[in-house]
mmCIF file of all heavy atoms in Angstrom:
data_model
loop_
_atom_site.group_PDB
_atom_site.id
_atom_site.type_symbol
_atom_site.label_atom_id
_atom_site.label_comp_id
_atom_site.label_asym_id
_atom_site.label_seq_id
_atom_site.Cartn_x
_atom_site.Cartn_y
_atom_site.Cartn_z
ATOM 1 N N ASP A 1174 -17.597 -45.725 -10.790
ATOM 2 C CA ASP A 1174 -16.220 -45.710 -10.289
ATOM 3 C C ASP A 1174 -15.346 -46.618 -11.145
ATOM 4 O O ASP A 1174 -14.251 -46.234 -11.579
ATOM 5 C CB ASP A 1174 -16.215 -46.165 -8.833
ATOM 6 C CG ASP A 1174 -14.882 -45.930 -8.134
ATOM 7 O OD1 ASP A 1174 -14.089 -45.101 -8.620
ATOM 8 O OD2 ASP A 1174 -14.647 -46.560 -7.088
ATOM 9 N N ALA A 1175 -15.826 -47.826 -11.424
ATOM 10 C CA ALA A 1175 -15.058 -48.761 -12.250
ATOM 11 C C ALA A 1175 -14.866 -48.224 -13.662
ATOM 12 O O ALA A 1175 -13.770 -48.350 -14.251
ATOM 13 C CB ALA A 1175 -15.762 -50.117 -12.288
ATOM 14 N N LEU A 1176 -15.910 -47.637 -14.229
ATOM 15 C CA LEU A 1176 -15.797 -47.056 -15.568
ATOM 16 C C LEU A 1176 -14.758 -45.937 -15.574
ATOM 17 O O LEU A 1176 -13.944 -45.831 -16.507
ATOM 18 C CB LEU A 1176 -17.151 -46.523 -16.021
ATOM 19 C CG LEU A 1176 -17.197 -45.876 -17.413
ATOM 20 C CD1 LEU A 1176 -16.822 -46.885 -18.495
ATOM 21 C CD2 LEU A 1176 -18.580 -45.286 -17.688
ATOM 22 N N THR A 1177 -14.776 -45.119 -14.543
ATOM 23 C CA THR A 1177 -13.798 -44.029 -14.440
ATOM 24 C C THR A 1177 -12.382 -44.579 -14.335
ATOM 25 O O THR A 1177 -11.455 -44.051 -14.962
ATOM 26 C CB THR A 1177 -14.113 -43.149 -13.218
ATOM 27 O OG1 THR A 1177 -15.457 -42.689 -13.288
ATOM 28 C CG2 THR A 1177 -13.189 -41.939 -13.157
ATOM 29 N N HIS A 1178 -12.192 -45.642 -13.556
ATOM 30 C CA HIS A 1178 -10.869 -46.267 -13.467
ATOM 31 C C HIS A 1178 -10.363 -46.672 -14.851
ATOM 32 O O HIS A 1178 -9.204 -46.427 -15.197
ATOM 33 C CB HIS A 1178 -10.934 -47.521 -12.596
ATOM 34 C CG HIS A 1178 -11.165 -47.238 -11.149
ATOM 35 N ND1 HIS A 1178 -11.745 -48.159 -10.312
ATOM 36 C CD2 HIS A 1178 -10.909 -46.149 -10.389
ATOM 37 C CE1 HIS A 1178 -11.827 -47.649 -9.098
ATOM 38 N NE2 HIS A 1178 -11.329 -46.440 -9.117
ATOM 39 N N ALA A 1179 -11.237 -47.299 -15.626
ATOM 40 C CA ALA A 1179 -10.824 -47.793 -16.942
ATOM 41 C C ALA A 1179 -10.487 -46.641 -17.883
ATOM 42 O O ALA A 1179 -9.462 -46.670 -18.579
ATOM 43 C CB ALA A 1179 -11.932 -48.658 -17.534
ATOM 44 N N ILE A 1180 -11.345 -45.623 -17.911
ATOM 45 C CA ILE A 1180 -11.093 -44.476 -18.798
ATOM 46 C C ILE A 1180 -9.805 -43.762 -18.396
ATOM 47 O O ILE A 1180 -8.955 -43.453 -19.242
ATOM 48 C CB ILE A 1180 -12.285 -43.499 -18.766
ATOM 49 C CG1 ILE A 1180 -13.519 -44.137 -19.417
ATOM 50 C CG2 ILE A 1180 -11.929 -42.189 -19.474
ATOM 51 C CD1 ILE A 1180 -14.784 -43.304 -19.301
ATOM 52 N N GLU A 1181 -9.644 -43.501 -17.095
ATOM 53 C CA GLU A 1181 -8.470 -42.747 -16.666
ATOM 54 C C GLU A 1181 -7.181 -43.543 -16.881
ATOM 55 O O GLU A 1181 -6.145 -42.970 -17.218
ATOM 56 C CB GLU A 1181 -8.620 -42.339 -15.203
ATOM 57 C CG GLU A 1181 -9.711 -41.302 -14.995
ATOM 58 C CD GLU A 1181 -9.402 -40.348 -13.858
ATOM 59 O OE1 GLU A 1181 -9.417 -40.787 -12.703
ATOM 60 O OE2 GLU A 1181 -9.147 -39.164 -14.149
ATOM 61 N N ALA A 1182 -7.236 -44.847 -16.671
ATOM 62 C CA ALA A 1182 -6.040 -45.657 -16.929
ATOM 63 C C ALA A 1182 -5.662 -45.591 -18.410
ATOM 64 O O ALA A 1182 -4.472 -45.546 -18.751
ATOM 65 C CB ALA A 1182 -6.286 -47.103 -16.511
ATOM 66 N N TYR A 1183 -6.660 -45.572 -19.283
ATOM 67 C CA TYR A 1183 -6.393 -45.572 -20.722
ATOM 68 C C TYR A 1183 -5.828 -44.241 -21.209
ATOM 69 O O TYR A 1183 -4.976 -44.208 -22.101
ATOM 70 C CB TYR A 1183 -7.656 -45.931 -21.505
ATOM 71 C CG TYR A 1183 -7.388 -46.197 -22.971
ATOM 72 C CD1 TYR A 1183 -6.754 -47.365 -23.377
ATOM 73 C CD2 TYR A 1183 -7.733 -45.271 -23.944
ATOM 74 C CE1 TYR A 1183 -6.469 -47.606 -24.712
ATOM 75 C CE2 TYR A 1183 -7.458 -45.492 -25.287
ATOM 76 C CZ TYR A 1183 -6.826 -46.664 -25.667
ATOM 77 O OH TYR A 1183 -6.547 -46.896 -26.994
ATOM 78 N N VAL A 1184 -6.292 -43.125 -20.627
ATOM 79 C CA VAL A 1184 -5.818 -41.809 -21.088
ATOM 80 C C VAL A 1184 -4.646 -41.303 -20.258
ATOM 81 O O VAL A 1184 -4.062 -40.265 -20.575
ATOM 82 C CB VAL A 1184 -6.954 -40.760 -21.080
ATOM 83 C CG1 VAL A 1184 -8.118 -41.229 -21.950
ATOM 84 C CG2 VAL A 1184 -7.424 -40.443 -19.664
ATOM 85 N N SER A 1185 -4.270 -42.027 -19.192
ATOM 86 C CA SER A 1185 -3.182 -41.600 -18.314
ATOM 87 C C SER A 1185 -1.870 -41.461 -19.078
ATOM 88 O O SER A 1185 -1.586 -42.236 -20.001
ATOM 89 C CB SER A 1185 -2.997 -42.628 -17.188
ATOM 90 O OG SER A 1185 -1.800 -42.395 -16.467
ATOM 91 N N GLN A 1186 -1.070 -40.507 -18.663
ATOM 92 C CA GLN A 1186 0.258 -40.361 -19.254
ATOM 93 C C GLN A 1186 1.170 -41.540 -18.911
ATOM 94 O O GLN A 1186 2.230 -41.701 -19.515
ATOM 95 C CB GLN A 1186 0.895 -39.046 -18.782
ATOM 96 C CG GLN A 1186 0.188 -37.807 -19.306
ATOM 97 C CD GLN A 1186 0.986 -36.543 -19.074
ATOM 98 O OE1 GLN A 1186 2.209 -36.524 -19.213
ATOM 99 N NE2 GLN A 1186 0.303 -35.455 -18.731
ATOM 100 N N LYS A 1187 0.760 -42.348 -17.934
ATOM 101 C CA LYS A 1187 1.532 -43.534 -17.561
ATOM 102 C C LYS A 1187 0.989 -44.813 -18.212
ATOM 103 O O LYS A 1187 1.411 -45.913 -17.851
ATOM 104 C CB LYS A 1187 1.528 -43.701 -16.039
ATOM 105 C CG LYS A 1187 2.257 -42.593 -15.292
ATOM 106 C CD LYS A 1187 2.233 -42.837 -13.800
ATOM 107 C CE LYS A 1187 2.993 -41.749 -13.043
ATOM 108 N NZ LYS A 1187 2.942 -41.974 -11.577
ATOM 109 N N ALA A 1188 0.068 -44.676 -19.139
ATOM 110 C CA ALA A 1188 -0.523 -45.850 -19.789
ATOM 111 C C ALA A 1188 0.533 -46.648 -20.545
ATOM 112 O O ALA A 1188 1.525 -46.092 -21.033
ATOM 113 C CB ALA A 1188 -1.635 -45.415 -20.740
ATOM 114 N N SER A 1189 0.308 -47.955 -20.650
ATOM 115 C CA SER A 1189 1.209 -48.851 -21.371
ATOM 116 C C SER A 1189 0.360 -49.833 -22.174
ATOM 117 O O SER A 1189 -0.868 -49.883 -22.025
ATOM 118 C CB SER A 1189 2.086 -49.626 -20.384
ATOM 119 O OG SER A 1189 1.274 -50.473 -19.577
ATOM 120 N N HIS A 1190 1.002 -50.629 -22.989
ATOM 121 C CA HIS A 1190 0.257 -51.650 -23.734
ATOM 122 C C HIS A 1190 -0.448 -52.604 -22.777
ATOM 123 O O HIS A 1190 -1.568 -53.060 -23.037
ATOM 124 C CB HIS A 1190 1.201 -52.429 -24.665
ATOM 125 C CG HIS A 1190 1.723 -51.621 -25.822
ATOM 126 N ND1 HIS A 1190 0.900 -50.888 -26.646
ATOM 127 C CD2 HIS A 1190 2.985 -51.434 -26.287
ATOM 128 C CE1 HIS A 1190 1.623 -50.275 -27.576
ATOM 129 N NE2 HIS A 1190 2.887 -50.590 -27.372
ATOM 130 N N PHE A 1191 0.199 -52.911 -21.654
ATOM 131 C CA PHE A 1191 -0.414 -53.809 -20.681
ATOM 132 C C PHE A 1191 -1.669 -53.191 -20.083
ATOM 133 O O PHE A 1191 -2.737 -53.810 -20.067
ATOM 134 C CB PHE A 1191 0.583 -54.153 -19.578
ATOM 135 C CG PHE A 1191 0.008 -55.031 -18.496
ATOM 136 C CD1 PHE A 1191 -0.006 -56.410 -18.651
ATOM 137 C CD2 PHE A 1191 -0.526 -54.492 -17.337
ATOM 138 C CE1 PHE A 1191 -0.551 -57.231 -17.671
ATOM 139 C CE2 PHE A 1191 -1.065 -55.297 -16.348
ATOM 140 C CZ PHE A 1191 -1.082 -56.671 -16.515
#
Side-chain angles (χ1 to χ4, degrees):
D1174 191 20
L1176 180 62
T1177 305
H1178 291 155
I1180 292 174
E1181 291 212 291
Y1183 191 73
V1184 303
S1185 169
Q1186 293 192 39
K1187 294 181 179 179
S1189 64
H1190 291 310
F1191 177 85

